[in-house]
Amino acid sequence: MKNFKFISILVMVMFLSMAAVGQETHTTEIKLLDSEFWWGGAVVDGDSMPFSEGFSYDMLGNIKGNQAQPLLVSNKGRLIWSEEPFKFTFAMGAIRIVALGEIIQEQSGTTLKEACDYASKTFFPANGKMPEELLFSAPQYNTWIELMYNQNQEDILKYAHDIIDNGLPPGVLMIDDNWQEDYGKWNFHPRRFPNPKSMMDELHQLGFKVMLWVCPFVSPDSDIYRTLAKKGLFLKNPSINKLAGTPWVQPGDPAMIPWWNGVSAVLDLSNPEAASWFKGELSRLNEEFGVDGFKLDAGDSNFYYKGLVSFKADITPNEHTALFGKIGLDFPLNEYRAMWKMAGQPLVQRLRDKSHNWNDLQKLIPHITAQGLIGYAFTCPDLIGGGEFTSFLNAETIDQDLILRSTQVHALMPMMQFSVAPWRVLDEEHLGAVKKAIELRKQFTPIILTLARQAARTGEPIVRTMEYVFPNQGFANIKDQFMLGDDILVAPILNNESQRKISLPKGKWLDESGKKIRGSREITVEVALETIPFYRKVD
């Protein structure tokens, strides 16, 4: 009976997801120019960018579990924007677009950078603010891989002490899912956290700032649910005839949404009272326990099914995601994985969970550069070694080289975040190389902070594609190296080999040893285990 009930709910969900939003659509076709390449849409398609013939993506209700933006930008200075989600398809030398809102086409120059700059200034201007500097200046640590759903005071303190005892610097510590009593009941679980204020004080004394995982869901069998339901603060079932065999699905009742942790009600953040309640809970945690910030998870647009009733009428699923994003603006220590149309804001955007394999490691660069191209500058490249916890359940499947090379990719990106404890899974040689990568990052921290402050003013990405910095010179399809700003080229190892090819643009470059190298060519280098190849442009 339980399985039948759950299947019936899923049938209801699929029915709702197919409901029309009720807005007029706009269609256009844009012919491609010779040697023109396009980027944009969903970040997780970064490894498919620039797009090729046959690629298609419909943004409505689907941000693919990461950041997305109703924007396409071209290496010829062209851009496409719509305030609403749209579908685009590359076919027969053209881009066919179907949008819920007006389609805006602009020619802003002749380069990818000019297209991105115009889009930023026109549609999502930077507001001059950036997230908390500690997120950039020190490594971050997340308790998920080590503790999973067993978040508890004793083990969190042990994890924090182990960081210090193993010679890693303190930074932001994120306590992940299941620290709370229930979803929506944002109190420390009294059995697993006997004295949370004492824990917070100790973590602060060790030099950490602490973030807590939260989400917009509320468990339907909790007292918080009953209180909020009476106030009408959840998304509701539409006024349709109930489906046969589902008497528990009633029009006007809070909608029950399947997500990765079960079936829950979801806050209707288009209702100012719901947003105020949620922010009030977070502020209470800050005031009562000294919590410094929040990891805001599970705001994906696919949880906000089309056809559900919200306080604000005719709202798209994507806009619900943006409303969840606005919650983080009150907290400089924030992190999001799912986002829509909040570029230019001081919000940290993490790449979605990657698996512990070389193929996913190779996606970090094209995905994080895609974030920057569509306006999300304050980026974090997932958890070091991968954020998919099932990859770490069997110690025999852990690849030490992969964890090290992942650390090295992170080291010269805007942020780096550990979760699996490197001292637990690495031998002395690999752990020493991890520490060397952290030391290298310290040298680059002033540059990273300067670029972050610049991004807060201008919206420019911190991590940039080769095409962005060196336009129309044949670098559009290079996805295994990146620019930190305009002058530092980073080419980390992304496989289990010790040799790689690097494309150097014209000019003169200094390698990591200080040796001057002539550009305008491709070079092949041998890379030691502890080395991150990088090059400074000197003229």
Side-chain angles (χ1 to χ4, degrees), residues 454-465:
Q454 178 181 320
R457 297 191 306 271
T458 67
E460 292 180 90
I462 299 170
V463 169
R464 302 167 185 178
T465 64

Side-chain angles (χ1 to χ4, degrees), residues 321-340:
T321 295
L323 289 170
F324 186 52
K326 291 180 180 179
I327 298 294
L329 296 176
D330 285 358
F331 307 96
L333 270 173
N334 63 72
E335 183 194 274
Y336 284 89
R337 173 194 47 76
M339 189 58 61
W340 171 257

